[in-house]
């Protein structure tokens, strides 16, 4: 997933543990609507007021582990895009997980950005993803 920063932007990558076995890879674009009163985000079918486009790419690392690269940074984006396809994050009770985990299994694992004419990259995986 990681590509050189060519356009001068920040690249954010995550790892997540999900329920089920997602496809080997994917490039998902959805329209997301945030209900601020409920602090919850929903995938909707069409653009309208308050709806924002969200895009991510992912590769499956193991049966239920994925590495994700965000192209947009929407509120709860990873959580809702995976849950809407039947792969809620382990521990994410807001978006459909029914397990005993106390928090969503989602970790920001890599940041890449330009700095002084060079590409800076910082990467660390959580213990549960190794």
């Amino acid at each position: 997933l990681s590509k050189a920063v060519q356009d001068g932007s920040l690249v954010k990558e995550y790892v997540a543990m999900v329920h089920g076995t997602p496809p080997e890879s994917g490039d998902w674009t959805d329209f997301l609507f945030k209900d601020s009163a409920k602090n919850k985000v929903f995938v909707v079918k069409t653009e309208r007021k308050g709806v924002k486009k969200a895009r991510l790419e992912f590769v499956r690392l193991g049966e239920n582990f994925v590495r994700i690269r965000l192209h947009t940074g929407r509120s709860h984006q990873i959580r809702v895009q995976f849950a809407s396809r039947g792969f809620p994050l382990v521990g994410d009770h807001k978006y459909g997980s029914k397990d005993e985990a106390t928090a969503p299994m989602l970790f920001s694992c890599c940041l890449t950005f330009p700095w002084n004419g060079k590409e800076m990259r910082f990467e660390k995986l959580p213990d549960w993803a190794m």
Side-chain angles (χ1 to χ4, degrees):
L1 284 179
S2 183
K3 297 175 185 169
V5 178
Q6 296 172 3
D7 63 358
S9 63
L10 173 69
V11 177
K12 297 178 183 178
E13 295 182 48
Y14 296 78
V15 288
M17 184 186 305
V18 299
H19 289 284
T21 304
E24 286 186 25
S25 64
D27 188 335
W28 293 343
T29 300
D30 292 297
F31 294 113
L32 303 184
F33 175 75
K34 182 175 183 181
D35 183 334
S36 295
K38 294 180 182 176
N39 191 30
K40 195 165 180 183
V41 177
F42 301 89
V43 172
V44 295
K45 294 198 183 299
T46 57
E47 286 187 272
R48 62 178 189 264
K49 186 178 179 185
V51 170
K52 295 183 178 179
K53 189 180 268 191
R55 180 176 171 228
L56 61 76
E57 290 179 90
F58 71 92
V59 294
R60 192 176 72 217
L61 302 176
E63 185 176 325
N64 64 338
F65 287 102
V66 289
R67 183 167 179 138
I68 303 150
R69 178 179 184 195
L70 288 181
H71 290 275
T72 54
R74 308 296 181 207
S75 183
H76 300 189
Q77 178 179 342
I78 293 169
R79 298 166 66 187
V80 73
Q81 284 191 276
F82 275 86
S84 73
R85 290 169 171 83
F87 309 108
L89 275 60
V90 171
D92 193 358
H93 308 291
K94 180 177 280 213
Y95 291 103
S97 177
K98 307 239 186 287
D99 57 49
E100 302 292 321
T102 58
M105 299 295 280
L106 178 64
F107 186 85
S108 175
C109 67
C110 186
L111 294 174
T112 308
F113 56 91
W115 187 75
N116 283 344
K118 294 188 279 187
E119 180 178 290
M120 301 299 290
R121 181 180 173 91
F122 299 90
E123 186 166 5
K124 176 75 172 135
L125 290 173
D127 293 340
W128 53 264
M130 300 210 190

